[in-house]
Amino acid sequence: MKYQLSINSEQHDVDVEEDTPLLWVLRDTLNMTGTKFGCGVAACGACTVHLNGTPVRSCQLPVGQIQAGAKIDTIEMMANKTEGVAIQQAWIEHQVPQCGYCQSGQIMSASALIRDNANPSDKEIDTAMNGNICRCGTYKQIRAAISSAASTRGNNNA
């Protein structure tokens, strides 16, 4: 079937089966490889993208279930968003990346959090990031980076 998807503020026409996961449309059909395949069962968060601003797991989201006019943002778009830039800078400052595999999903979840909450508590960070698995165990650095990015972003919007 043919679908028109709004991805990173651009229209893309794809011809795929309705049960094709969005992840494979992004990676295989559109060659947008920033979104990663991790587990395939929506448990690890590596495949997180934003659908109308909400973090979702693209490995379990059939393209046929995406409403017409929905806006999809991937990690490739984060360099164009205030919260994405703040998170990416904080990631570097707090030395979050180790192996790096989970990073795109982590950044997508974290950027949605600080976009909607300028001063998240540690508990709010933990709740928002629950389900984003880091096999290297950099959870303390992730929390510190999110707190730092939120405060930096808050100061920039004051």
Side-chain angles (χ1 to χ4, degrees):
M1 296 188 72
K2 294 188 179 192
Y3 298 93
Q4 187 174 65
L5 302 173
S6 175
I7 303 170
N8 300 333
S9 299
E10 294 182 15
Q11 294 300 313
H12 296 272
D13 294 317
V14 297
D15 188 1
V16 296
E17 297 296 321
E18 67 182 307
D19 62 347
T20 304
L22 176 60
L23 175 63
W24 300 124
V25 173
L26 294 171
R27 290 185 61 81
D28 294 347
T29 304
L30 299 174
N31 293 318
M32 299 173 125
T33 57
T35 304
K36 303 300 182 199
F37 173 79
C39 65
V41 295
C44 74
C47 68
T48 302
V49 299
H50 294 173
L51 179 63
N52 295 323
T54 301
V56 298
R57 305 298 204 248
S58 63
C59 72
Q60 288 292 301
L61 178 61
V63 72
Q65 289 184 9
I66 299 171
Q67 299 292 320
K71 294 183 177 166
I72 301 162
D73 285 331
T74 69
I75 189 67
E76 288 89 352
M77 185 63 159
M78 288 300 103
N80 299 324
K81 295 190 174 268
T82 304
E83 64 274 11
V85 171
I87 286 291
Q88 289 175 357
Q89 289 173 346
W91 243 234
I92 293 165
E93 290 168 13
H94 291 272
Q95 299 179 351
V96 173
Q98 298 296 312
C99 80
Y101 202 81
C102 70
Q103 297 309 300
S104 60
Q106 297 275 1
I107 289 169
M108 295 303 290
S109 292
S111 64
L113 171 63
I114 69 164
R115 180 197 62 225
D116 298 337
N117 185 344
N119 189 23
S121 67
D122 284 349
K123 183 175 178 156
E124 290 168 323
I125 292 170
D126 292 345
T127 298
M129 300 304 290
N130 186 32
N132 283 83
I133 296 173
C134 173
R135 69 183 183 183
C136 300
T138 63
Y139 299 108
K140 287 182 182 180
Q141 294 97 315
I142 289 168
R143 186 188 300 140
I146 293 169
S147 293
S148 176
S151 68
T152 299
R153 187 171 176 273
N155 291 338
N156 289 341
N157 290 338

